[in-house]
Every structure is written in structure tokens, then in C-alpha cells.
Amino acid sequence: MDWYESVYELIDMRSFSNLWFWIALAVAWSTASHWVLGVPYDLVQRARMRGGQAAADVAALVAINMRRVLYIARVAGVWIVALGGFALSMLIVLGFVYGSEICQAVVLLGGPFALVWLMTVRLAHRIESTAPEGEALYRCLRAHRLRVQLVGISAIFFTAMWGMWQNMQIGALGG
């Protein structure tokens, strides 16, 4: 075996048989469900249980991140949707029509995050319009976290099923 083959086997450009892809998938969804509108969920729990400075921190972080998300959505939302839609469409065609496994992996990882981003913008709009405080704010954040976790569970399940199907089609050792 020459040096090029050794490096290529080490890197393994096949996504669904690569351990690093599955680690990245787990870390991405774990992080997405922990940070609710830019607020770590353990801080939300602490604020709900103890109040005080933690409650003030949650309210401040929610206000800052809500304004940040809405600013991005209002200033560049059309461009983000247009370019994101183009990129996602291109990746879908390359991955599922032309069979590029790396594009399939990016779609299965990034597509659900597009939905999470839309859910986050919707939550920011709701918080801006209703201005919940205290327990009502914590309920909004908890409900959003639950929805993100449901999207994540569905995405991980579908990705695992698709990845197993791809690995069975190609073979365990790429042959």
C-alpha cells in the first residue's frame, strides 16, 4: 500500500461508515437541545428552581438573543432563505439524484437544523409579541427545547436508517 491509499483510508470520505460523522451528529443535536434561544438549559432550570440572579440572567440572555435572531431574520432573512434553499436543493440533487454520499450526509445533518432555525425565529417572534416573564418564559423555552429534541430524535433516527441502508448497499468494507 502506498502513502496516498493509507491516508485516504484513514480519512475515509464515506460519511455513513465514518465514526466522526456519527460523533458530529450526536454533538450537534446535543448542543442544539442544550442551547435554547442562546440560553443554556441548565440555567433555565436553575432560574425556575431558585429564581434570583439566575432568573435575571435568563431574562437578559433571552432578550439579547431574541433581538439578535430577529435582527438577523429581518435584515438578511430573505437572503438566508434564498441561499439556504438553493444550497439545500443543490445538496439534495447531488446527494439523492447523483448519489454523492457526502452530500446526503450534509443534507441529513443540515436540513433538520434549517427547521430548528425557523422554529427559533418563530419563538423569538412569539417572545417579542407576548413578552412572557418568569414561569411563562420558562414554559416557552421548555416547549421549544422539547420540539428541538423531537426534531433531533427524528433526524437521528432517519439518518441512522439511511446510513445503515447505504452501508448495506455499498458493503461494510467499501467493496
Side-chain angles (χ1 to χ4, degrees), residues 96-113:
F96 296 99
V97 175
Y98 291 107
S100 170
E101 190 172 312
I102 189 77
C103 292
Q104 293 172 5
V106 171
V107 167
L108 293 173
L109 182 62
F113 277 104

Side-chain angles (χ1 to χ4, degrees), residues 3-174:
W3 182 81
Y4 177 75
E5 284 183 38
S6 299
V7 170
Y8 191 75
E9 282 186 22
L10 180 66
I11 295 173
D12 189 15
M13 293 305 285
R14 290 192 50 238
S15 301
F16 299 115
S17 64
N18 192 330
L19 178 64
W20 291 109
F21 171 75
W22 297 105
I23 291 171
L25 183 73
V27 168
W29 283 111
S30 175
T31 303
S33 69
H34 179 69
W35 292 86
V36 182
L37 194 63
V39 180
Y41 196 71
D42 61 304
L43 182 61
V44 175
Q45 289 293 92
R46 194 172 334 125
R48 206 175 118 251
M49 297 296 191
R50 296 189 189 126
Q53 186 60 47
D57 291 346
V58 167
L61 283 172
V62 166
I64 290 167
N65 288 309
M66 179 257 317
R67 286 191 300 269
R68 184 183 127 266
V69 166
L70 290 177
Y71 176 78
I72 292 169
R74 289 175 180 147
V75 171
V78 173
W79 285 103
I80 291 171
V81 169
L83 293 175
F86 172 76
L88 197 56
S89 299
M90 181 184 66
L91 288 169
I92 288 170
V93 170
L94 288 172
F96 296 99
V97 175
Y98 291 107
S100 170
E101 190 172 312
I102 189 77
C103 292
Q104 293 172 5
V106 171
V107 167
L108 293 173
L109 182 62
F113 277 104
L115 177 61
V116 168
W117 175 253
L118 292 174
M119 291 167 33
T120 301
V121 171
R122 183 173 169 242
L123 174 66
H125 276 291
R126 188 173 343 125
I127 289 174
E128 181 186 48
S129 65
T130 61
E133 294 179 359
E135 191 59 39
L137 178 61
Y138 308 146
R139 269 196 308 275
C140 286
L141 296 174
R142 188 171 42 245
H144 179 70
R145 181 177 190 234
L146 179 63
R147 286 189 294 270
V148 169
Q149 287 175 331
L150 290 174
V151 170
I153 289 169
S154 302
I156 290 170
F157 177 77
F158 187 75
T159 302
M161 293 297 111
W162 185 260
M164 284 188 285
W165 174 257
Q166 290 299 311
N167 288 337
M168 286 190 309
Q169 295 296 99
I170 294 170
L173 300 175

